Amino acid sequence: MSRLCFDYGHGGEDPGATYNDRRESDDVVSLGKEVAEEVRRHGITVDETRTSDDTVSLNDRSNFENGNTYDYFISFHRNAYEPEKARGVETYTYLNPGEKSRELAESIQASLVILGFVDRGVKEANYHVLRETKASAVLIEIGFIDNTEDNDLFDVKRNEIIKGLAKAILAQVGIDYVETSAPTQAESGQTLYRVMAGSYSVRENAENQVQKLKDVGFDACIMIFNK
């Protein structure tokens, strides 16, 4: 069974990027722990470099990862530039990444872009936690903490972000995402609503959207409606 290492950036004396009363260190540990729980629900082992507001050095993070054998190392972060001047998500690999790192980065990036974040692409960088870890490694920048629109997406679509990241990670280790069991309409007396991801007059455009959804692990199909 696969074993993963999740790394939540900054913490303790290092809050990371901040904006108003918001701290990167808080956002990533809170979100990342929920992604970890979703992945664990599918039988995958997930170890974490921190689980609370602790100071953890870069060396401590890479040493933690190097102390075990992992299939993937995934570092969670949020970006910052100048207030309200930049937005979007980007996912990093080390320089000249292996195929596994690149595939995971592309899948993670797609899972966030489809939720409405601006696509800043998959990039390469000489970051310590990418360079000094043994496992295939990626670093995620989940929107700009100094951008109101990105913060709104981060908050409003939190559950979708957690699910999308879990699906992308699980797909990379060959595990199909399983929805949590929910009562049927007859059992609960509730009406359920299906969500559409767009309507297109050109079938090719519809097929392209379906493929994008499938690539990040979402069930999708084309339904034909005649006006």
Side-chain angles (χ1 to χ4, degrees):
M1 187 61 71
S2 298
R3 186 173 188 179
L4 311 176
C5 183
F6 280 14
D7 172 55
Y8 312 131
H10 310 285
E13 297 175 355
D14 173 18
T18 60
Y19 189 53
N20 297 326
D21 294 327
R22 192 161 193 148
R23 308 191 329 159
E24 177 185 5
S25 58
D26 295 334
D27 277 0
V28 295
V29 72
S30 175
L31 183 87
K33 286 167 64 177
E34 291 197 57
V35 177
E37 285 306 306
E38 272 293 271
V39 174
R40 289 187 183 112
R41 187 168 62 81
H42 293 76
I44 303 297
T45 298
V46 181
D47 295 336
E48 298 153 294
T49 56
R50 72 179 179 96
T51 56
S52 58
D53 191 24
D54 297 321
T55 302
V56 185
S57 71
L58 292 176
N59 281 331
D60 286 341
R61 296 171 192 270
S62 56
N63 288 340
F64 180 92
E65 190 276 343
N66 289 326
N68 291 286
T69 300
Y70 295 103
D71 295 280
Y72 291 95
F73 173 90
I74 303 169
S75 190
F76 294 73
H77 289 260
R78 298 205 65 202
N79 224 330
Y81 178 58
E82 294 178 7
E84 309 299 342
K85 293 293 181 66
R87 58 184 300 230
V89 293
E90 52 196 23
T91 308
Y92 286 88
T93 66
Y94 185 52
L95 311 177
N96 300 314
E99 183 177 353
K100 289 172 62 178
S101 295
R102 185 74 185 186
E103 286 180 352
L104 178 58
E106 290 175 348
S107 184
I108 284 173
Q109 183 72 10
S111 76
L112 295 171
V113 170
I114 205 166
L115 297 178
F117 286 102
V118 171
D119 186 359
R120 297 175 63 89
V122 173
K123 303 178 180 181
E124 298 176 10
N126 188 27
Y127 295 146
H128 176 98
V129 293
L130 299 177
R131 182 184 67 247
E132 301 298 331
T133 46
K134 297 184 300 183
S136 298
V138 300
L139 184 148
I140 320 167
E141 294 279 9
I142 312 172
F144 280 72
I145 201 169
D146 55 2
N147 182 280
T148 300
E149 292 181 71
D150 273 5
N151 285 336
D152 287 344
L153 276 173
F154 189 92
D155 295 336
V156 172
K157 295 200 173 181
R158 181 185 180 90
N159 290 337
E160 290 102 318
I161 292 170
I162 293 164
K163 182 177 178 179
L165 290 174
K167 279 190 170 185
I169 294 164
L170 288 166
Q172 188 64 24
V173 296
I175 301 294
D176 292 331
Y177 181 87
V178 177
E179 299 283 353
T180 54
S181 59
T184 64
Q185 182 175 349
E187 293 171 335
S188 66
Q190 295 179 335
T191 300
L192 302 180
Y193 300 89
R194 294 187 181 276
V195 177
M196 296 179 64
S199 297
Y200 305 88
S201 58
V202 178
R203 185 178 179 89
E204 182 181 358
N205 293 338
E207 291 173 344
N208 289 338
Q209 179 71 345
V210 166
Q211 190 57 52
K212 288 179 182 178
L213 289 165
K214 288 183 176 180
D215 287 344
V216 296
F218 291 97
D219 294 331
C221 66
I222 294 174
M223 300 179 69
I224 300 173
F225 297 90
N226 296 313
K227 291 185 177 181

